Amino acid sequence: MTRYPPAAPAQIRQAWQQRDATGPAGLRIAVLSSFTADPLLPYLGLPLHTSGLAPQFAVGPFNQIAQQCMDQDSETARFAPHVLVVAARPEDRPAAGETEERFALRRLATLARDTARRWGALLVWVLPPLPQDRPNGVGDHGDPHGAAAHAVAEREWVRRMLADQADACVVDADEVVRAVGTRAAHHPALFAFARIPFTEEVFALLGEEIARVAGARHGRGCQGVLVDVDGLLLDAADPPDGESAAGLAELLEQLPARRPVAYRSMRPRPTAWRLLAERAPRLVRLPATWIADDRTKAAQLGSFAEELGVPESTIAVLTGEKPQVDDWPDGSRVIRCGPHRDPASRGLAAAGAFDLVLPVPEHTVVDGFTPEDQEHSSPKGTAGGLDDFLRGLQVSAPLSAVESDTAPDESDVAERAHDFTLALEHPPADYLVAADGCLLSVRVSDRYGDYGVSAVIGLRETAAACVVELFSLSCVVMGKGVEDILLAELVDRAAQRGADVLEFRYRDTGRNRPAVDFLHRAQGPRHSRDGRVVQIRACAEATDHPVP
C-alpha cells in the first residue's frame, strides 16, 4: 500500500530492492546529469513501479549530457527512452560547447529538447537549485549581474522555453532543496569523493516529484478522489467538528476540474447521506458519486476506478487515522487523516490530487525533428555536432612513462575505474617490474581545468605486438574523447617499435560497456602518423556476460 506522505528514504530503498522485477519492462527512462545520479533511482522507480508502469532505467555517465545527446550511437540513444530526465548544475561544467559560459544552461536545455524530440521521448528537465557559492559575499544580493541573479535568469529562460512544449515538462530542484533546507541538502564530502552533491533527503523528494510528473504524463497520475466517509467521519472516534469538515469541503472544492470525487460507505445511501448532512452539511452539497453498499473497500474502490476507466492505483483514498478490518488493497494511494496525522491538504498534494499535467502527446518526427519550432534546433548531423563539441574542449592527454618504483596516482585511477576499464586483474605495479612491461600515466586537461592523473595504461611490448592489459579512465574525463587520443598515441608507439599488432585484452563485466563498445569500434587496421598500418585487435577473456 502506498502511504501519503511517503515512507522514509530507507524504507523506499528497501522496497525498491525487494520489488518483483521479473515482469516485462515497461516505461524506459534515461537519466542524464552533470553529477552522479544513481541515488535518485529508488525514489523515482518505486512510485512508478507501484503505479504499474514497470520502469526500466539507463543512467548515462555523469557530466556527459551533451555527448550522449549528440552521439546518435550513444548508450542513451540505443536505449531508446520513453522519458529523458536531464539534471544539470551549471557549476559542474559549462555545457554543450558554449563559448560564452553564462549561456551554457540555455544551450544545453535546447539540445536536450531537440534530442528528446528526435528520440520521440518526453523531456523532464530538472531546473537546478540556486548555486551556494557567492563570489561577492553579501554584495551578491544586490548585484543584478551577480551569481544569484544570473542563475535565476537562466532558470526562468529555460522554464519559459519549455512551457509551451507539449513533449517537455519541468521539475524544480530548488524547491526540493528549500524544502529540505540548504544546510541539510548538500553533501560536500560525498561530492568530492563520488560526485554526489545532494543528501538522501533531496534525492528522495526529487525522485518523488519526477515520478509524479512522468506518471501523470503517462496516465498514472491521480485520476480521482474516493472519500471514505465511514472511516473519516461517521465511525471515527474523534470526528472533525463543523469547522474542520467545512475545511475539508473547501479543500475538495479546490480540486482541478475533471478530478471526480466519490463518497464510499457500507451504510445504505439514505442513512449515510443523513448522517453526513448532520456532521458536515457542506460536504453533501459537493458534486460527488455515492458508493454505498455492503461490498468490501477493495470492491468499492474497484467499481469507482472502473466507472472512470482508470487503474485503481490512480485513485487517492481519503480515510480515517485508524486502520480498520478489510483495509485498502496494495498499491492504493491511501491518505489517513486525523488529529495525529498531517493535514488532508498535504496528503492530497503528495498523492497528486492537485496536479495539472497534460498527457504525453503523439507527434510526428520529420527528418529528425518535429515540424514545429526549429528555431533553436541542433543540426541533424549529430555526429558532426559532437566533433565540434570535443574540438571546443581543447583536450590534452599526453602519455608519460612511469619511472618510479611506486605509482600511487595511477593505482588509484585503476582501482576506482569501473565504467571504462579492461577489468583484468593487472595492478599498475606489475608493469614496473616486468622486463617487457611499460606503465604509462596520462594527465588530462581541457579549457575548463586540469584533472590531474586521470588515465593509466599498462602494456607488454614485443617486436611483433603491443599487448594492452590495463587501460582505465577516470569517470571525470569520460566523454571528452580521451580514449580516442590515447588510442592514436598507442598506435604511433606500436608503429615506432615495429609492431604490426596492437592487441587489447579485456573482460566484459557488464558495467564496463563503454570500454567494451569502444574496443569493438576500434578494431581493424589503423594508420600511424608516419603511414604505417597497425592492426587493432580486441580479445575477450572468459566472462559471464555475452560479448556482442
Side-chain angles (χ1 to χ4, degrees), residues 488-500 526-535:
E489 293 294 333
L490 290 174
V491 168
D492 287 344
R493 185 182 181 93
Q496 291 169 6
R497 283 158 177 73
D500 297 323
R526 188 71 63 100
H527 286 84
S528 65
R529 290 189 181 91
D530 60 8
R532 291 197 52 170
V533 176
V534 176
Q535 191 74 22

Side-chain angles (χ1 to χ4, degrees), residues 390-391 393-399 442-452 454 477 480-482 485-486 489:
L390 294 178
R391 281 194 294 270
L393 288 178
Q394 302 172 11
V395 175
S396 173
L399 289 168
V442 183
R443 190 178 188 94
V444 179
S445 63
D446 61 20
R447 68 189 183 98
Y448 297 126
D450 188 336
Y451 301 93
S454 304
V477 299
K480 295 176 178 286
V482 174
I485 296 174
L486 299 183
E489 293 294 333

Side-chain angles (χ1 to χ4, degrees), residues 46-285:
L46 187 62
L48 297 176
H49 177 78
T50 304
S51 69
L53 287 174
Q56 179 184 4
F57 289 105
V59 180
F62 91 92
N63 226 349
Q64 293 189 38
I65 300 172
Q67 294 94 315
Q68 291 291 307
C69 289
M70 291 178 178
D71 186 356
Q72 51 194 342
D73 193 41
S74 67
E75 302 98 303
T76 310
R78 294 197 302 269
F79 182 65
H82 300 118
V83 178
L84 174 63
V85 178
V86 180
R89 300 193 318 155
E91 59 264 44
D92 289 334
R93 188 189 66 187
E98 179 62 67
T99 54
E100 293 195 54
E101 298 179 12
R102 65 180 183 275
F103 298 126
L105 195 65
R106 303 183 182 191
R107 177 79 177 266
L108 190 59
T110 303
L111 173 64
R113 181 201 63 182
D114 295 340
T115 301
R117 286 181 177 179
R118 191 170 65 249
W119 293 343
L122 168 71
L123 171 65
V124 180
W125 177 269
V126 180
L127 287 173
L130 297 179
Q132 297 299 296
D133 293 337
R134 297 288 190 272
N136 298 327
V138 294
D140 191 80
H141 299 308
D143 185 355
H145 304 290
H150 167 64
V152 170
E154 289 294 283
R155 282 163 36 90
E156 294 310 310
W157 188 95
V158 174
R159 195 197 304 269
R160 288 193 302 272
M161 187 265 288
L162 296 179
D164 297 328
Q165 310 299 316
D167 47 5
C169 50
V170 166
V171 170
D172 196 339
D174 192 64
E175 290 190 6
V176 172
V177 168
R178 285 190 286 111
V180 173
T182 54
R183 293 187 178 182
H186 299 277
H187 205 313
L190 200 55
F191 180 73
F193 179 76
R195 291 299 187 270
I196 299 176
F198 303 122
T199 58
E200 206 72 24
E201 289 75 11
V202 171
F203 282 114
L205 285 178
L206 185 59
E208 177 190 340
E209 293 288 293
I210 298 174
R212 281 172 57 180
V213 168
R217 292 297 295 262
H218 287 84
R220 292 300 190 272
C222 181
Q223 304 292 332
V225 177
L226 180 64
V227 181
D228 177 15
V229 295
D230 283 354
L232 187 63
L233 298 168
L234 305 185
D235 295 334
D238 296 311
D241 55 25
E243 183 178 349
S244 299
L248 178 59
E250 182 179 355
L251 183 65
L252 295 175
E253 289 172 348
Q254 296 172 9
L255 292 172
R258 299 183 181 179
R259 186 76 27 97
V261 176
Y263 295 153
R264 62 79 49 192
S265 174
M266 296 189 71
R267 294 174 169 83
R269 177 175 174 177
T271 304
W273 189 94
R274 177 178 54 80
L275 292 173
L276 186 62
E278 293 174 357
R279 299 189 178 186
R282 189 170 173 180
L283 282 173
V284 298
R285 292 196 292 268

Side-chain angles (χ1 to χ4, degrees), residues 184-531:
H186 299 277
H187 205 313
L190 200 55
F191 180 73
F193 179 76
R195 291 299 187 270
I196 299 176
F198 303 122
T199 58
E200 206 72 24
E201 289 75 11
V202 171
F203 282 114
L205 285 178
L206 185 59
E208 177 190 340
E209 293 288 293
I210 298 174
R212 281 172 57 180
V213 168
R217 292 297 295 262
H218 287 84
R220 292 300 190 272
C222 181
Q223 304 292 332
V225 177
L226 180 64
V227 181
D228 177 15
V229 295
D230 283 354
L232 187 63
L233 298 168
L234 305 185
D235 295 334
D238 296 311
D241 55 25
E243 183 178 349
S244 299
L248 178 59
E250 182 179 355
L251 183 65
L252 295 175
E253 289 172 348
Q254 296 172 9
L255 292 172
R258 299 183 181 179
R259 186 76 27 97
V261 176
Y263 295 153
R264 62 79 49 192
S265 174
M266 296 189 71
R267 294 174 169 83
R269 177 175 174 177
T271 304
W273 189 94
R274 177 178 54 80
L275 292 173
L276 186 62
E278 293 174 357
R279 299 189 178 186
R282 189 170 173 180
L283 282 173
V284 298
R285 292 196 292 268
L286 291 179
T289 300
W290 274 89
I291 304 175
D293 49 46
D294 58 358
R295 290 180 299 169
T296 64
K297 294 178 180 179
Q300 292 178 332
L301 174 62
S303 68
F304 183 41
E306 183 178 2
E307 178 185 340
L308 299 179
V310 299
E312 294 180 12
S313 61
T314 64
I315 304 296
V317 178
L318 199 59
T319 187
E321 180 178 19
K322 184 178 180 181
Q324 300 174 1
V325 178
D326 183 30
D327 214 344
W328 302 98
D330 290 341
S332 302
R333 303 183 182 217
V334 177
I335 306 161
R336 297 201 179 276
C337 303
H340 306 292
R341 297 276 179 170
D342 286 336
S345 57
R346 186 175 300 178
L348 284 172
F354 299 104
D355 292 346
L356 279 175
V357 181
L358 296 176
V360 174
E362 294 183 2
H363 58 275
T364 303
V365 177
V366 180
D367 292 334
F369 297 98
T370 50
E372 68 276 8
D373 189 18
Q374 298 189 21
E375 178 183 357
H376 299 289
S377 295
S378 308
K380 180 182 176 183
T382 55
L386 179 59
D387 291 340
D388 293 340
F389 171 71
L390 294 178
R391 281 194 294 270
L393 288 178
Q394 302 172 11
V395 175
S396 173
L399 289 168
S400 61
V402 178
E403 305 292 347
S404 63
D405 295 335
T406 60
D409 293 338
E410 292 73 18
S411 297
D412 185 61
V413 171
E415 182 179 351
R416 292 193 181 190
H418 298 289
D419 295 321
F420 199 103
T421 177
L422 302 184
L424 301 178
E425 296 183 1
H426 292 294
D430 288 356
Y431 299 93
L432 296 175
V433 296
D436 59 347
C438 178
L439 184 65
L440 301 175
S441 180
V442 183
R443 190 178 188 94
V444 179
S445 63
D446 61 20
R447 68 189 183 98
Y448 297 126
D450 188 336
Y451 301 93
V453 175
S454 304
V456 58
I457 299 172
L459 67 160
R460 301 181 186 276
E461 299 173 314
T462 67
C466 288
V467 179
V468 180
E469 300 166 317
L470 171 65
F471 189 3
S472 296
L473 265 66
S474 169
C475 56
V476 176
V477 299
M478 284 180 59
K480 295 176 178 286
V482 174
E483 59 272 29
D484 293 296
I485 296 174
L486 299 183
L487 179 65
E489 293 294 333
L490 290 174
V491 168
D492 287 344
R493 185 182 181 93
Q496 291 169 6
R497 283 158 177 73
D500 297 323
V501 175
L502 177 61
E503 181 177 298
F504 290 86
R505 297 177 181 173
Y506 69 94
R507 183 169 62 91
D508 185 353
T509 66
R511 182 172 177 179
N512 66 337
R513 276 287 162 175
V516 173
D517 291 345
F518 170 75
L519 295 181
H520 280 255
R521 290 194 301 269
Q523 286 191 109
R526 188 71 63 100
H527 286 84
S528 65
R529 290 189 181 91
D530 60 8

